[in-house]
Amino acid sequence: MQSSFTEFLSAHLNEINAYLDTYFRHQTDSADIERYLYAPLGHYSANAGKRHRPLICMLACRAVGGDWNRAATCAAAIEHFQTGALIHDDIADNGQLRRGEPCLHITEGEGIAINCGDYALMLVSAAVANDPDLDAPLKVRLIQELTSMTARTIEGQALDLGWVRDGRFDLSIEDYLAMATHKTAFYSGATPLACGAIIGGGSEEQISALRTFGLHTGLAFQIQDDLLNLVGKKEARNKDFRCDITEGKRTLVAVHALNYADDASHDELMDILTSGTTDPDRLDRAVQIFERTGAIAYAHSYSLDLTAHAKAALESVELDPQCKDLLLGMADFFVERLN
């Protein structure tokens, strides 16, 4: 089923990319506005991954019996949210690379980057509000969903940034899970699926089941993304490999290791995580501590448990069989990317 989901993503990638590009192409007659807004924002958006968020939104619409094309604007809204959030996130974290390219604030300056991120976030509500094929009550409900998603993500980001500002590493695993659920799971899984089901006319039972499925898989996605940054193979090494250590990210792996390391390893790991180092030897040393404390194995096991809970949420709900199989394949894909 995992291979079916990756084939689904590949089959529709060009289609969704072309649609998202319409939000940035031919939007102005001013060469300067093009130079300082639409061109850099369009380029940043195009340097994307597999676009799973918009595609699962549309897939959920089809899963409950709807026309998946009706979900296109809401799907785009969620992807625009990610674009804006990542631009701002890179600035807040002083990130240098995003998907193998210099971050937007590096190439265009912080002011232009912030403004581009603001425009992308504006598109979250505008994409839905301006869709002539959605009636007013449906638009209101979708915008409420998107507003809630935005609030939860900002809450998660507040924890992430606050812990960094205050030098906080005195965190429990539960602290990390709360942060990651808010920061990632809503916009990476729960809200795209719930919105797609709402547009497709799904029952409250279907919407709730897909939302729960999305929360579990969205959190599993984040945990696995953190693992890819540490021990991933070709895919991760082509990106900003091990930058989470350099940036001192409070990942599940780091939090678990700090909670279970002996005193000497705890102090050494703290020194690495707070140093901002890019020295490959020191990065390797941090990973060795992660492995020795069982943190990497724990994180992978936890993501597998989340996947099992996600699949259970769909067991008794009626969905289009082919779409359900694709969604179950998505759950496997999220946690097996290390392979």
Side-chain angles (χ1 to χ4, degrees):
M1 286 189 292
Q2 176 189 343
S3 61
S4 296
F5 181 70
T6 57
E7 289 167 5
F8 165 76
L9 293 178
S10 298
H12 296 285
L13 181 61
N14 290 337
E15 173 188 346
I16 196 67
N17 280 342
Y19 179 65
L20 289 166
D21 192 53
T22 64
Y23 286 87
F24 310 115
R25 298 293 179 188
H26 311 298
Q27 298 297 313
T28 181
D29 293 329
S30 166
D32 279 350
I33 294 177
E34 174 71 15
R35 165 68 185 88
Y36 299 129
L37 177 62
Y38 294 111
L41 183 53
H43 178 79
Y44 186 94
S45 174
N47 180 31
K50 295 179 174 63
R51 302 287 198 192
H52 85 264
R53 294 170 185 85
L55 287 170
I56 63 172
C57 179
M58 298 171 76
L59 181 61
C61 181
R62 180 185 287 176
V64 300
D67 175 4
W68 90 325
N69 289 310
R70 291 193 74 223
T73 54
C74 191
I78 292 165
E79 190 70 3
H80 294 322
F81 173 80
Q82 188 201 22
T83 293
L86 290 182
I87 291 171
H88 289 168
D89 194 34
D90 288 338
I91 296 169
D93 291 343
N94 192 29
Q96 301 298 304
L97 290 175
R98 174 64 64 178
R99 302 190 184 105
E101 292 190 5
C103 294
L104 195 62
H105 66 277
I106 301 296
T107 60
E108 302 293 334
E110 284 193 6
I112 294 293
I114 291 171
N115 198 53
C116 286
D118 290 345
Y119 188 86
L121 295 176
M122 178 278 300
L123 288 174
V124 176
S125 56
V128 172
N130 295 333
D131 188 338
D133 295 327
L134 303 178
D135 61 38
L138 180 54
K139 289 180 181 180
V140 170
R141 183 168 183 185
L142 292 172
I143 289 174
Q144 288 173 333
E145 289 282 344
L146 294 169
T147 301
S148 177
M149 173 195 76
T150 302
R152 300 292 82 74
T153 307
I154 292 171
E155 287 173 348
Q157 178 74 333
L159 291 173
D160 202 14
L161 293 173
W163 292 340
V164 172
R165 187 197 70 180
D166 293 346
R168 293 277 306 279
F169 281 97
D170 59 328
L171 306 171
S172 68
I173 288 171
E174 289 72 23
D175 291 330
Y176 166 82
L177 294 173
M179 181 276 292
T181 297
H182 282 68
K183 183 174 177 178
T184 302
F186 282 94
Y187 91 89
S188 289
T191 301
L193 291 166
C195 285
I198 291 167
I199 296 166
S203 68
E204 291 305 317
E205 180 189 13
Q206 289 172 318
I207 295 166
S208 178
L210 285 164
R211 190 192 306 277
T212 299
F213 175 85
L215 271 177
H216 289 315
T217 55
L219 181 54
F221 178 86
Q222 180 60 59
I223 293 170
Q224 206 71 351
D225 222 39
D226 294 342
L227 286 170
L228 278 168
N229 189 266
L230 298 174
V231 296
K233 303 305 180 185
K234 181 179 178 182
E235 179 187 359
R237 292 174 189 273
N238 285 342
K239 300 194 292 183
D240 39 1
F241 192 54
R242 293 184 174 171
C243 70
D244 285 355
I245 301 172
T246 302
E247 296 171 13
K249 288 288 184 72
R250 278 69 168 169
T251 63
L252 181 58
V253 173
V255 170
H256 182 281
L258 288 169
N259 274 283
Y260 289 95
D262 58 46
D263 290 345
S265 295
H266 178 280
D267 292 347
E268 182 181 3
L269 182 56
M270 278 289 295
D271 183 61
I272 295 171
L273 290 172
T274 56
S275 68
T277 184
T278 58
D279 180 352
D281 290 337
R282 298 200 76 196
L283 300 179
D284 281 341
R285 180 60 184 155
V287 173
Q288 289 170 15
I289 296 172
F290 292 152
E291 290 174 335
R292 191 172 67 243
T293 56
I296 288 175
Y298 174 83
H300 186 56
S301 176
Y302 197 93
S303 66
L304 292 175
D305 288 343
L306 285 168
T307 300
H309 288 302
K311 290 180 175 181
L314 297 188
E315 278 182 4
S316 60
V317 68
E318 184 177 349
L319 297 170
D320 174 86
Q322 182 181 17
C323 293
K324 181 183 277 192
D325 285 345
L326 286 170
L327 289 169
L328 295 175
M330 177 190 92
D332 291 330
F333 165 72
F334 281 178
V335 298
E336 294 301 332
R337 289 175 296 153
L338 280 174
N339 297 333

